[in-house]
Amino acid sequence: MRLIIRGHALQRMRERHVTREDVENALRGRWLTLPERQNGIQYEGPGLDGRTLKVWLLPPGYVNEDTTMVLKSVAWKDEEGT
């Protein structure tokens, strides 16, 4: 999986204690895909510990092993305000 993580997404990962492996696991095991209102796609899937991780990708944002995806943001579903 080719995943670019920088800027805002990297900051959110640090703040929320999300690893690259959490993101990759959530994308591979995703069970929910939603178009995002602000131009992109939101996925939900399991982090490595089994918690639900919300992952936002910039457009086109479709998970495909042969494309490069750019991470927009991440958040644990069970945390306040997400």
Side-chain angles (χ1 to χ4, degrees):
M1 178 176 298
R2 292 183 296 183
L3 186 61
I4 296 173
I5 304 171
R6 59 181 174 230
H8 174 81
L10 194 56
Q11 178 183 350
R12 290 295 182 244
M13 287 174 67
R14 286 185 195 125
E15 290 171 358
R16 297 172 175 159
H17 307 286
V18 175
T19 67
R20 180 185 190 92
E21 291 78 16
D22 284 317
V23 173
E24 290 175 355
N25 197 65
L27 291 172
R28 285 193 179 103
R30 66 197 179 277
W31 53 70
L32 181 64
T33 303
L34 300 169
E36 201 221 359
R37 293 178 305 213
Q38 297 173 345
N39 205 12
I41 295 179
Q42 174 187 330
Y43 294 98
E44 289 185 13
L48 291 178
D49 64 0
R51 293 168 60 198
T52 299
L53 184 64
K54 296 164 69 172
V55 178
W56 291 272
L57 298 177
L58 291 174
Y62 295 103
V63 175
N64 180 321
E65 292 295 324
D66 298 324
T67 62
T68 299
M69 296 165 286
V70 180
L71 188 65
K72 185 174 180 181
S73 194
V74 297
W76 294 110
K77 189 170 183 174
D78 61 356
E79 288 186 0
E80 288 287 320
T82 59

